[in-house]
Short mmCIF file of all heavy atoms in Angstrom, two decimals:
data_model
loop_
_atom_site.label_atom_id
_atom_site.label_comp_id
_atom_site.label_asym_id
_atom_site.label_seq_id
_atom_site.Cartn_x
_atom_site.Cartn_y
_atom_site.Cartn_z
N CYS A 3 118.68 115.06 80.43
CA CYS A 3 117.46 114.79 79.55
C CYS A 3 117.80 115.51 78.24
O CYS A 3 118.68 116.36 78.17
CB CYS A 3 116.28 115.30 80.23
SG CYS A 3 114.83 115.19 79.38
N GLU A 4 116.97 115.09 77.21
CA GLU A 4 117.20 115.81 75.84
C GLU A 4 116.92 117.29 76.00
O GLU A 4 117.52 118.10 75.22
CB GLU A 4 116.26 115.19 74.88
CG GLU A 4 116.71 113.89 74.30
CD GLU A 4 115.70 113.23 73.34
OE1 GLU A 4 114.72 113.89 72.98
OE2 GLU A 4 116.05 112.13 72.82
N CYS A 5 116.18 117.64 77.05
CA CYS A 5 115.82 119.23 77.21
C CYS A 5 116.88 119.83 77.90
O CYS A 5 116.88 121.23 78.08
CB CYS A 5 114.45 119.31 77.98
SG CYS A 5 114.69 118.87 79.62
N GLY A 6 118.00 119.21 78.38
CA GLY A 6 119.04 119.70 79.06
C GLY A 6 119.04 119.72 80.56
O GLY A 6 119.94 119.93 81.31
N ARG A 7 117.90 119.43 81.11
CA ARG A 7 117.77 119.30 82.51
C ARG A 7 118.30 117.87 83.06
O ARG A 7 118.47 117.10 82.26
CB ARG A 7 116.17 119.39 83.00
CG ARG A 7 115.65 120.83 83.07
CD ARG A 7 114.27 120.92 83.53
NE ARG A 7 113.48 120.48 82.44
CZ ARG A 7 112.35 121.04 81.91
NH1 ARG A 7 112.10 122.30 82.33
NH2 ARG A 7 111.47 120.60 80.97
N ARG A 16 116.16 106.20 76.68
CA ARG A 16 116.32 107.60 76.72
C ARG A 16 116.25 108.10 78.14
O ARG A 16 115.57 107.51 79.00
CB ARG A 16 115.06 108.34 75.91
CG ARG A 16 115.32 109.63 75.37
CD ARG A 16 114.18 110.42 75.25
NE ARG A 16 114.23 111.59 76.08
CZ ARG A 16 113.30 112.69 75.97
NH1 ARG A 16 112.42 112.70 75.06
NH2 ARG A 16 113.51 113.65 76.74
N TYR A 18 115.23 110.88 80.97
CA TYR A 18 114.16 111.84 81.14
C TYR A 18 114.40 112.56 82.43
O TYR A 18 114.78 111.98 83.53
CB TYR A 18 112.83 111.01 81.29
CG TYR A 18 112.30 110.53 79.92
CD1 TYR A 18 112.59 109.26 79.46
CD2 TYR A 18 111.42 111.34 79.19
CE1 TYR A 18 112.06 108.81 78.31
CE2 TYR A 18 110.93 110.83 77.86
CZ TYR A 18 111.23 109.63 77.63
OH TYR A 18 110.71 109.16 76.40
N CYS A 19 113.96 113.95 82.37
CA CYS A 19 113.92 114.70 83.60
C CYS A 19 112.50 114.61 84.05
O CYS A 19 111.68 114.00 83.44
CB CYS A 19 114.29 116.10 83.35
SG CYS A 19 113.12 116.91 82.34
N GLU A 21 110.03 116.70 84.41
CA GLU A 21 109.02 117.31 83.51
C GLU A 21 108.85 116.54 82.27
O GLU A 21 107.67 116.29 81.86
CB GLU A 21 109.41 118.87 83.10
CG GLU A 21 109.54 119.81 84.30
CD GLU A 21 110.73 119.59 85.23
OE1 GLU A 21 111.47 118.74 84.92
OE2 GLU A 21 110.71 120.28 86.21
N CYS A 22 109.88 116.10 81.59
CA CYS A 22 109.73 115.40 80.35
C CYS A 22 109.00 114.05 80.59
O CYS A 22 108.24 113.53 79.72
CB CYS A 22 111.04 115.29 79.53
SG CYS A 22 111.58 116.83 78.97
ZN1 ZN B 2 113.54 116.95 79.92
#
Side-chain angles (χ1 to χ4, degrees):
C3 173
E4 279 179 7
C5 73
R7 282 183 286 239
R16 203 202 119 166
Y18 285 89
C19 69
E21 289 78 3
C22 293

